[in-house]
């Protein structure tokens, strides 16, 4: 079977890498992919970026099914278009993907269906937004309504910063059309976890739990990013909490969608805040796998991902079990100079191509690529293309061992201006 994965980030490298491990799969095409997917045996990058082009390719090349990694394509309705052409694809429809593509829709949906989330109000008029926050306490959270590649949220510690954020988004249009509206949200305290499931429209299969590290700097300081590292599992999610998340969050999304005439299919990512007293609140939904959570999750997955996704496409997720490596996986993101505000491009990455390790160690880590391409002066080097560049992911018997292994590997890789955190996994270790 030949498969197609859509996207070019770290999560797509991890998904394609895992899919290719199946003996049933002869090739996985990745559109557009990155240097990691270009160099991987059994994967092939496709320089196609339009839905129409991808549709033609999938038809002509007898692609068994397509997996959508990128939210931008979901927002454009790739699932609706592929299905209308009779092609198999795993992901939500354009309407269902509004859970991610519009914060305003997502909050209203949660309120309609009793899903716990922070109190909020939506504004398109900056004057009303300024007036509203004058009566509020800080911290307060300002979010652009639309897709903003992890840059649309400001956690304002002072009212001055909150006013500035309102003007930046609504007046100066810093987020373009993603900021035609803003959602202003109550600030939540607690521990953040990522809860990702597969949904086939009728059944849910939870994946291993994980924890992201959103802030740029050690100790959870600095600006929000797409995520600077992750580990799986998230020890804060006990069996009891797991059952409550399924019941308070995931099931109501499925039944709510059904009541509104939609069947949710695809990965569903709930970003959750767990308060000190165990209260669960949804921070956000993503309609795809998380990045960098996918990288440690895929390293732990023992089941055949292609079989899982086929079951999901055929509405048979209730007929399959999922198996995990019981060890911890931990991924450290190496990002470019200037990320997240202004990413630099074109730095040569040293230490990747001459990476040699023993066969035994090989099984226990993987370097997933994100913002990389093949280029440089001789056209044969690996260079950065901006944003998050690599996610060095390692397995270990404990969080500490996985952490030590991952950081040891990062020491062998260099590019100018590299930024990374040095404390990924700190909450789990504490
Ligand atoms: P979102 O894209 O909505 O998940 O927001 C990005 C990040 O901002 C989250 O992962 C949190 O770290 C932070 N955040 C978002 N909403 C809130 C909130 N209501 N209270 C506290 N932190 C938040
Ligand atoms: N790690 C958060 C995200 O994928 O949006």
């Amino acid at each position: 079977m030949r498969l197609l994965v859509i996207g070019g980030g770290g999560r797509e490298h991890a998904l394609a890498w895992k899919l290719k491990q199946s003996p049933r799969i002869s090739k996985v095409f990745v559109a557009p992919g990155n240097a990691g997917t270009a160099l991987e045996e059994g994967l092939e990058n496709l320089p196609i970026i339009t839905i129409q082009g991808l549709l033609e390719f999938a038809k002509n090349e007898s692609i068994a099914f397509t997996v959508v990694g990128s939210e931008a394509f979901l927002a454009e309705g790739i699932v609706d278009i592929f299905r209308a052409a009779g092609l198999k694809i795993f992901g939500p429809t354009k309407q269902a993907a509004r859970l991610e593509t519009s914060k305003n829709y997502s909050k209203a949906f949660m309120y309609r269906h009793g899903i716990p989330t922070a109190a909020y109000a939506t504004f398109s008029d900056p004057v009303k937004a300024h007036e509203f926050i004058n009566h509020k306490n800080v911290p307060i959270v300002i979010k652009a309504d639309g897709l903003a590649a992890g840059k649309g949220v400001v956690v304002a510690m002072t009212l001055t910063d909150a006013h500035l954020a309102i003007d930046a988004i609504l007046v100066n249009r810093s987020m373009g059309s993603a900021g035609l509206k803003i959602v202003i949200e109550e600030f939540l305290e607690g521990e953040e976890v990522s809860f990702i499931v597969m949904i086939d429209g009728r059944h849910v299969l939870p994946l291993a739990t994980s924890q992201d590290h959103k802030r740029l700097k050690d100790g959870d300081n600095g600006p929000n990013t797409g995520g600077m590292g992750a580990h799986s599992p998230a020890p804060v999610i006990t069996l009891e909490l797991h059952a409550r998340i399924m019941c308070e969050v995931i099931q109501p999304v499925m039944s709510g969608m059904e009541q509104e005439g939609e069947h949710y299919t695809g990965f569903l990512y709930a970003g959750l805040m767990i308060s000190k007293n165990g209260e669960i609140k949804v921070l956000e939904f993503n309609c795809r796998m998380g990045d960098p959570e996918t990288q440690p999750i895929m390293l732990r997955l023992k089941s055949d991902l292609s079989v899982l996704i086929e079951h999901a496409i055929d509405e048979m997720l209730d007929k399959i079990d999922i198996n995990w490596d019981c060890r911890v996986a931990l991924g450290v993101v190496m990002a470019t100079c200037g990320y997240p505000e202004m990413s630099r491009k074109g730095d040569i990455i040293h230490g990747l191509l001459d990476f040699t390790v023993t066969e035994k160690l090989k099984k226990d880590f993987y370097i997933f690529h994100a913002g990389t391409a093949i280029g440089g002066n001789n056209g044969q080097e690996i260079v950065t293309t901006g944003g998050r560049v690599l996610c060095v992911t390692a397995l270990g018997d404990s969080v500490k061992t996985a952490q030590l292994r991952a950081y040891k590997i990062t020491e062998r890789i260099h590019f100018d201006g590299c930024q990374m955190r040095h404390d990924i996994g700190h909450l789990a270790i504490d």
Side-chain angles (χ1 to χ4, degrees), residues 230-232 299 326-332 360-361 364-365 392-410 424-426 428-430:
H231 55 82
S232 170
L299 204 60
C326 60
R327 289 174 294 170
V328 174
L330 183 141
V332 177
K360 183 177 173 298
L361 192 64
D364 290 344
F365 79 92
V392 175
T393 312
L395 286 161
D397 290 329
S398 65
V399 185
K400 192 83 210 163
T401 323
Q403 187 194 52
L404 280 173
R405 274 203 182 131
Y407 279 110
K408 197 109 198 97
I409 296 159
T410 64
I424 300 301
H426 70 103
I429 291 168
D430 290 347

Side-chain angles (χ1 to χ4, degrees), residues 11 212 214 226-227 269 284 286 288-293 388:
R11 64 176 171 265
D212 190 6
K214 295 265 176 167
Y269 167 125
E284 65 162 340
N286 292 322
R288 44 152 180 99
M289 289 292 291
D291 199 331
E293 292 92 329
R388 293 177 291 172

Side-chain angles (χ1 to χ4, degrees), residues 189-383:
E189 278 179 283
E191 193 167 335
E192 253 185 273
V193 290
S194 308
F195 197 91
I196 308 176
V197 299
M198 294 173 76
I199 301 184
D200 69 7
R202 298 199 297 161
H203 316 102
V204 187
L205 185 69
L207 302 185
T209 59
S210 55
Q211 200 153 22
D212 190 6
H213 296 64
K214 295 265 176 167
R215 300 297 187 110
L216 182 68
K217 305 233 181 247
D218 287 10
D220 297 321
N221 292 307
N224 262 318
T225 67
M228 293 300 290
H231 55 82
S232 170
V236 65
I237 303 191
T238 58
L239 281 179
E240 187 252 320
L241 197 55
H242 195 283
R244 280 183 46 220
I245 294 167
M246 290 294 285
C247 177
E248 292 175 31
V249 177
I250 305 296
Q251 294 293 349
V253 171
M254 264 210 330
S255 55
M257 279 281 161
E258 199 169 334
Q259 279 168 34
E260 300 191 9
E262 276 291 329
H263 278 269
Y264 189 96
T265 53
F267 294 107
L268 178 70
Y269 167 125
L272 305 172
M273 190 70 93
I274 312 293
S275 75
K276 268 207 182 93
N277 55 9
E279 217 183 345
I280 303 161
K281 288 206 173 154
V282 177
L283 290 170
E284 65 162 340
F285 286 120
N286 292 322
C287 294
R288 44 152 180 99
M289 289 292 291
D291 199 331
E293 292 92 329
T294 309
Q295 291 85 320
I297 290 176
M298 286 302 126
L299 204 60
R300 288 188 61 216
L301 181 62
K302 284 186 155 177
S303 308
D304 183 328
L305 181 62
S306 73
V307 174
L308 293 173
I309 294 180
E310 248 188 345
H311 274 67
I313 291 172
D314 296 336
E315 267 191 28
M316 292 197 335
L317 276 181
D318 58 328
K319 304 274 188 301
I320 193 154
D321 290 324
I322 189 162
N323 296 310
W324 300 100
D325 191 317
C326 60
R327 289 174 294 170
V328 174
L330 183 141
V332 177
V333 168
M334 302 175 81
T336 53
C337 174
Y339 178 74
E341 283 94 14
M342 296 267 285
S343 280
R344 195 166 77 193
K345 295 177 192 204
D347 289 304
I348 294 169
I349 310 172
H350 302 279
L352 275 177
L353 293 173
D354 50 0
F355 208 99
T356 49
V357 282
T358 61
E359 281 305 312
K360 183 177 173 298
L361 192 64
K362 239 184 205 167
K363 292 197 188 76
D364 290 344
F365 79 92
Y366 211 80
I367 302 170
F368 294 108
H369 287 227
T372 64
I374 298 175
N377 291 336
N378 60 8
Q380 288 183 0
E381 279 163 321
I382 303 182
V383 295

Side-chain angles (χ1 to χ4, degrees), residues 103 118 141 143 153 155 185-188 192 214 224 273 283-284:
K103 299 262 187 213
V141 185
K143 301 185 175 184
V153 175
V155 179
E185 234 178 66
E186 159 203 18
F187 176 78
L188 299 174
E192 253 185 273
K214 295 265 176 167
N224 262 318
M273 190 70 93
L283 290 170
E284 65 162 340

Side-chain angles (χ1 to χ4, degrees), residues 65-273:
F65 63 81
T66 297
V67 182
V68 192
S70 142
E71 64 275 19
F73 283 89
L74 295 173
E76 284 183 51
I78 191 168
V79 171
D80 313 59
I81 295 166
F82 268 50
R83 278 193 193 149
L87 294 174
K88 289 191 174 189
I89 185 161
F90 188 54
T93 60
K94 181 174 181 166
Q95 292 284 61
R98 284 180 300 169
L99 278 182
E100 173 169 5
T101 60
S102 166
K103 299 262 187 213
N104 178 46
Y105 170 86
S106 176
K107 296 294 284 189
F109 178 90
M110 286 190 258
Y111 266 69
R112 283 199 294 283
H113 298 287
I115 299 168
T117 188
Y120 82 108
T122 303
F123 297 92
S124 50
D125 178 350
V127 176
K128 290 193 175 138
H130 286 303
E131 202 176 278
F132 176 79
I133 61 165
N134 278 334
H135 309 289
K136 298 284 170 195
N137 296 325
V138 287
I140 191 161
V141 185
I142 318 283
K143 301 185 175 184
D145 176 53
L147 291 180
K151 294 174 197 161
V153 175
V154 176
V155 179
M157 303 311 284
T158 64
L159 275 187
T160 309
D161 285 350
H163 287 296
L164 286 173
I166 291 171
D167 280 340
I169 304 174
L170 284 182
V171 180
N172 303 328
R173 296 270 179 253
S174 58
M175 310 275 162
S177 61
L180 291 174
K181 287 187 207 141
I182 54 169
V183 164
I184 301 185
E185 234 178 66
E186 159 203 18
F187 176 78
L188 299 174
E189 278 179 283
E191 193 167 335
E192 253 185 273
V193 290
S194 308
F195 197 91
I196 308 176
V197 299
M198 294 173 76
I199 301 184
D200 69 7
R202 298 199 297 161
H203 316 102
V204 187
L205 185 69
L207 302 185
T209 59
S210 55
Q211 200 153 22
D212 190 6
H213 296 64
K214 295 265 176 167
R215 300 297 187 110
L216 182 68
K217 305 233 181 247
D218 287 10
D220 297 321
N221 292 307
N224 262 318
T225 67
M228 293 300 290
H231 55 82
S232 170
V236 65
I237 303 191
T238 58
L239 281 179
E240 187 252 320
L241 197 55
H242 195 283
R244 280 183 46 220
I245 294 167
M246 290 294 285
C247 177
E248 292 175 31
V249 177
I250 305 296
Q251 294 293 349
V253 171
M254 264 210 330
S255 55
M257 279 281 161
E258 199 169 334
Q259 279 168 34
E260 300 191 9
E262 276 291 329
H263 278 269
Y264 189 96
T265 53
F267 294 107
L268 178 70
Y269 167 125
L272 305 172
M273 190 70 93

